Every structure is written in structure tokens, then in C-alpha cells.
Amino acid sequence: MTLQNRSRLFVFIFSFLTWLALTNVRDIEEVVAGLIVAALVTVVAGKFLITSEKSGHILRRIFSAIKYLVKFLWEMMKANLHVAFIVIHPYLPIKPGIVKIKTKLTKDSAITVLTNSITLTPGTLTVDLSPEKNEIYIHWIDVLSTDVGKNTKTIGGKFEKLLTEVFE
Amino acid sequence: MTREVIGMAFILVGIMFDFFGVLGLVRLPDVYNRLQAATKCVTFGSAGILLGVFIIQGFNNFGFKALLGIVFIFLTSPVAAHAIARAAHRSGIPLTKETVVDQYQEDNELKD
């Protein structure tokens, strides 16, 4: 089976299971509708989920993913308290700017998760990705430095290592 | 009974963070800073409300939908924020006066 077809099969099964979880299945009609919807999703976006051969042991990857999730939720708590603090502060202590960081991740899915995490963590919001997919532009509400190397460490560094273990 | 109290506590915290997000939307100066408040607080707040619903309802049809809702919000809200911020920057909406650096602009000018 080619890589694209494997990706399509995976997307089909995954979206069908999601449909079953979302609908309270009582009749055969709902199952049929689910099959049609899952097929539509597969036709439109089926080939994007898996784009390269897997590497690394699946259990180790799941373990890394759980570690990553815990870290991410913790950072997200901090992000919310940070924004809440800024918003209720009478003088709005902000120093915004758009900075650039570098990333070593190569897979599309890994970069997507990294940029989403950056958006949901303290003070940072992903604006764009460079066409070569190795630089991320980030709007930072409280710019501490403009040095690319230093920013890479403070913004992306905390997730990048774990994400490498999960995806690559 | 305890389950309902815990669920209600989660919903209360969620509403509080949603409120901070809305406050940020009103108080912060430009579109990018507003997006920061809107994505972070509203994602977390809505997730808190949905988690509260799940705790009250338990593992039935209703609660399961709430859990899936959390996953969908976490996946889609940062992508929407990225799309809005990028579109705003490309159509030339200026950053606020307090902005200290804009490396995105610098790099784009080099390419043009």
C-alpha cells in the first residue's frame, strides 16, 4: 500500500470513529451518513495526515506525547494568567513586536503542532512561516530580545525537543 | 452532588477567563495584541466550560460531545488566529505605536 493510500485509510477510519462518537447511533441511517461524510473528508484531505514513514518506537512516541501534553497544559495555564494580568493592569504593561525564530522540525504535522503550541503559550502568537519552512514569525506581546538565536531558545526551545521525540 | 459542584466550579473559572479575553479585546491597542487575548483566554475559557459540562454529565452522549468540542477548539483556534494575523499584516494594517520590532516586515522588504 502506498503512503498516500495508507494516510487515506487512516483518515477514513479516524473520521468515521469521530462521527460515531459525536452522534448517538440508534439507526442504520446515521451509520450510512457517517460513512458518506468520512468518505468526503477522505477525498478532500486524506493524503495530508501521514506524509512520511514512521520512525521510532510507538510506545516511546506515545510516552513523549503525554509528557508534551502535560507541559503544554502547564504553559497554557501560565499564558492565561499572564494575559489576565496584562488585561486587568491599569497601565497595560505591553511591549509588542514581531520576532523571528528558527525551527529544526521538518515534518508538516510537527511544525503545525509547534506553531499551535506557540500561539497558546505565554505572550506569543504565530503570524507566519517562511516559505522554506525553517523560520517562524511570532508576534510577542512583551519583547525581551530581538536576537534570533536567543528567541529560538526562549519561545520554541521548550517544545521543540519533545516534539522531535514525538514526530521524528 | 460533589460532581455538580466541581463541574460548576470549572464552568465558573471558564466564564472568568472568557471575560478576561473579552476585556482584552476591548482594552488592548491593535489587532495583533487583541488576537493574543482572544485566542488564549477564550480557548482556555471555553475549554473550561466544556470540561465542566463533561464532569456534570459524565460519560454519556452529551459529555462525550463536550470532550470532542475541547479537542476541536484546541486544534482550530490557533490556526484561525494565525490566518487572521497573517492576513492583517499582509493587507498592511499597522502595528501599534508601542511596537519595538517587526522582523516580519524587514524580511518581506528584503524579498521585494
Side-chain angles (χ1 to χ4, degrees):
Chain A
M1 199 188 288
T2 61
L3 203 63
Q4 277 198 358
N5 280 340
R6 211 168 70 193
S7 174
R8 288 201 176 97
L9 184 71
F10 191 73
V11 167
F12 182 77
I13 294 170
F14 190 66
S15 45
F16 184 61
L17 287 180
T18 312
W19 173 275
L20 290 186
L22 267 176
T23 49
N24 194 6
V25 179
R26 287 201 198 91
D27 307 307
I28 190 75
E29 285 96 335
E30 278 163 354
V31 178
V32 172
L35 284 173
I36 293 170
V37 172
L40 275 177
V41 171
T42 311
V43 167
V44 174
K47 63 183 175 186
F48 298 117
L49 193 64
I50 303 172
T51 48
S52 63
E53 291 291 335
K54 276 195 199 100
S55 55
H57 199 272
I58 185 76
L59 280 177
R60 198 174 304 136
R61 289 175 68 201
I62 289 174
F63 182 66
S64 302
I66 292 170
K67 261 204 311 201
Y68 166 76
L69 211 64
V70 170
K71 192 171 179 75
F72 168 71
L73 285 175
W74 171 244
E75 290 291 329
M76 200 176 163
M77 284 288 282
K78 278 204 313 207
N80 278 278
L81 294 174
H82 178 237
V83 172
F85 169 75
I86 288 176
V87 165
I88 53 180
H89 196 286
Y91 300 116
L92 287 178
I94 57 171
K95 206 174 120 192
I98 296 180
V99 297
K100 182 166 80 172
I101 71 167
K102 287 197 181 306
T103 176
K104 286 194 225 58
L105 298 172
T106 48
K107 286 186 186 169
D108 286 355
S109 48
I111 295 175
T112 308
V113 175
L114 176 70
T115 49
N116 274 8
S117 310
I118 287 172
T119 295
L120 291 173
T121 49
T124 49
L125 181 121
T126 309
V127 176
D128 204 358
L129 191 67
S130 72
E132 297 84 29
K133 292 184 183 171
N134 57 1
E135 288 165 349
I136 307 172
Y137 296 97
I138 287 167
H139 181 267
W140 202 357
I141 207 165
D142 193 15
V143 177
L144 297 176
S145 89
T146 54
D147 179 54
V148 175
K150 216 169 163 186
N151 287 337
T152 304
K153 228 179 222 163
T154 38
I155 300 176
K158 54 195 170 199
F159 294 124
E160 205 161 19
K161 203 172 144 279
L162 274 174
L163 281 179
T164 317
E165 285 172 26
V166 178
F167 285 99
E168 319 251 332
Chain B
M1 183 60 203
T2 24
R3 211 167 73 178
E4 265 167 28
V5 172
I6 296 172
M8 280 296 169
F10 267 102
I11 292 178
L12 204 70
V13 171
I15 289 173
M16 207 174 73
F17 276 111
D18 267 358
F19 171 73
F20 285 139
V22 173
L23 199 65
L25 210 56
V26 177
R27 286 200 68 197
L28 289 169
D30 65 355
V31 59
Y32 309 97
N33 289 309
R34 287 176 173 175
L35 268 177
Q36 296 248 10
T39 39
K40 287 189 220 333
C41 283
V42 173
T43 307
F44 193 68
S46 309
I49 293 172
L50 287 171
L51 194 66
V53 170
F54 166 71
I55 288 172
I56 291 174
Q57 291 288 328
F59 273 104
N60 59 14
N61 187 32
F62 210 73
F64 212 73
K65 273 182 195 162
L67 269 192
L68 270 175
I70 296 179
V71 175
F72 285 140
I73 287 182
F74 268 60
L75 286 178
T76 52
S77 140
V79 177
H82 147 70
I84 295 170
R86 184 167 177 268
H89 203 284
R90 291 214 158 184
S91 51
I93 293 176
L95 283 88
T96 171
K97 282 193 206 79
E98 291 145 52
T99 304
V100 286
V101 63
D102 188 353
Q103 289 174 339
Y104 190 39
Q105 184 73 34
E106 288 162 20
D107 281 15
N108 277 351
E109 273 166 9
L110 281 180
K111 273 170 209 152
D112 288 342

